[in-house]
Amino acid sequence: GVDPAGVHVAGRLPDLYLPVSDYTVTPVLAWWEIPGPVRAVDPAEVARVVRVPIRDLADPISRFQVRVPDGHRMPAFRVEGLFVWGFTGILLSTLLRLAGWEREWDTTREEVLPALILDTGPGNNS
């Protein structure tokens, strides 16, 4: 839902393998030079769009691991009243690390995946 006219591609991030879906995704990093309105294009994939400061994502208190029903552990965040996990959590964690913005955080801290998320079905993962 971002107008591509105001976006400049900076490069590719390393491929991310998602064991839950058995997909490999190639994230693309871009600079949103001309911010404007943005919306979720597919409500089955994205519940809403929120701008969150990087300092909030990098704050160690915002970070933890979540265990999904199949037993996999993955990075997650609590920011702006959101529970961010799944592909979005993995991508944000990777970006913080690669950009050098990651601060030391307790990687052993684990939170339970909220039942509400489990009940909403596939696609509602962040």
Side-chain angles (χ1 to χ4, degrees), residues 44-63:
E45 288 291 325
V46 177
R48 64 184 171 163
V49 178
V50 179
R51 295 180 195 177
V52 177
I54 291 172
R55 73 175 170 275
D56 294 351
L57 292 167
D59 186 341
I61 199 72
S62 300
R63 303 193 65 187

Side-chain angles (χ1 to χ4, degrees), residues 51-64 75-80 84 88-89 91-107 109:
R51 295 180 195 177
V52 177
I54 291 172
R55 73 175 170 275
D56 294 351
L57 292 167
D59 186 341
I61 199 72
S62 300
R63 303 193 65 187
F64 56 94
F77 301 79
R78 279 196 187 272
V79 288
E80 302 283 327
V84 182
T88 306
L91 181 62
L92 291 172
S93 185
T94 301
L95 179 62
L96 290 173
R97 181 177 43 82
L98 291 175
W101 299 325
E102 183 174 48
R103 294 168 46 196
E104 189 173 329
W105 60 286
D106 182 359
T107 59
R109 183 175 144 219

